């Protein structure tokens, strides 16, 4: 048993984050995300939402300070009037752990799936919000 590790942190996710190096990416995917867009390494956290997981991860996981956009979101499809309110929650969480926040960009769905497929690992969640998928690029501890 270790101290100060969140109870919901799966051991395999902590191991994956420790294995990752500078520039490696971690995909957090919502409950609707397809398997074809995922890397081989996958941690299941079906009973949790992405906000809870993002808050837990960013306590340990530095975002890459050497790139303009260390965080990638899936852009809303053209013609879809949906506004992803969850993105504002992500930004609030990001500001808690990163001086400049998440510094995110939104990319089109096919581009996001391709990016997701090449991530080091993914965390599959039970998140119900639409367009809730996010990719985090790992930075260095200074």
């Amino acid at each position: 048993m270790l101290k100060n590790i969140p109870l919901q942190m799966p051991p395999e996710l902590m191991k994956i984050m420790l294995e990752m190096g500078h520039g490696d990416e971690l995909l957090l995917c919502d409950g609707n995300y397809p398997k074809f867009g995922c890397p081989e390494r996958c941690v299941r956290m079906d009973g949790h939402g992405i906000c809870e997981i993002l808050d837990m991860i960013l306590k340990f996981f530095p975002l890459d300070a050497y790139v303009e956009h260390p965080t990638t979101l899936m852009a809303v499809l053209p013609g879809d009037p949906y506004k992803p309110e969850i993105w504002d929650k992500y930004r609030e969480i990001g500001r808690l752990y990163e001086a400049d926040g998440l510094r995110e960009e939104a990319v089109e769905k096919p581009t996001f799936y391709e990016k997701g497929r090449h991530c080091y690992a993914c965390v599959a969640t039970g998140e119900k919000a639409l367009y809730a998928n996010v990719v985090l690029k790992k930075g260095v501890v200074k």
Side-chain angles (χ1 to χ4, degrees), residues 20-26 54 57-58 60-72 94 97-105 115 135-142:
M20 292 174 68
H22 178 221
D24 285 337
E25 293 180 316
L26 180 65
L54 183 64
I57 286 172
L58 289 179
F60 306 103
F61 191 97
L63 294 180
D64 194 341
Y66 298 103
V67 298
E68 187 176 359
H69 302 291
T71 306
T72 305
Y97 301 103
E98 295 286 327
D100 296 325
L102 297 178
R103 297 178 293 123
E104 79 275 356
E105 68 175 338
K115 185 177 191 72
V135 171
L136 305 171
K137 184 180 286 285
K138 188 174 183 186
V140 296
V141 177
K142 295 180 181 181

Side-chain angles (χ1 to χ4, degrees), residues 25-27 39 41 114-122 135:
E25 293 180 316
L26 180 65
L27 166 65
R41 287 180 204 88
E114 186 63 24
K115 185 177 191 72
R117 190 178 358 266
H118 291 96
C119 285
Y120 186 86
C122 77
V135 171

Side-chain angles (χ1 to χ4, degrees), residues 5-64:
I5 303 294
L7 293 176
Q8 71 271 30
M9 175 68 79
E12 61 267 41
L13 179 55
M14 183 60 80
K15 178 182 182 291
I16 284 169
M17 290 191 305
L18 285 165
E19 290 171 346
M20 292 174 68
H22 178 221
D24 285 337
E25 293 180 316
L26 180 65
L27 166 65
L28 308 180
C29 46
D30 63 30
N32 290 308
Y33 199 83
K35 172 64 180 138
F36 78 82
C38 287
E40 282 187 32
R41 287 180 204 88
C42 186
V43 176
R44 303 288 323 185
M45 293 189 70
D46 299 280
H48 301 277
I50 291 180
C51 288
E52 173 188 6
I53 295 167
L54 183 64
D55 184 58
M56 177 181 66
I57 286 172
L58 289 179
K59 289 176 183 171
F60 306 103
F61 191 97
L63 294 180
D64 194 341

Side-chain angles (χ1 to χ4, degrees), residues 33 69 71-78 87 104-116 131 133-135:
Y33 199 83
H69 302 291
T71 306
T72 305
L73 304 171
M74 181 186 290
V76 176
L77 289 169
W87 292 2
E104 79 275 356
E105 68 175 338
V107 299
E108 292 182 357
K109 193 175 194 175
T111 303
F112 191 94
Y113 285 155
E114 186 63 24
K115 185 177 191 72
Y131 300 101
N133 307 299
V134 60
V135 171

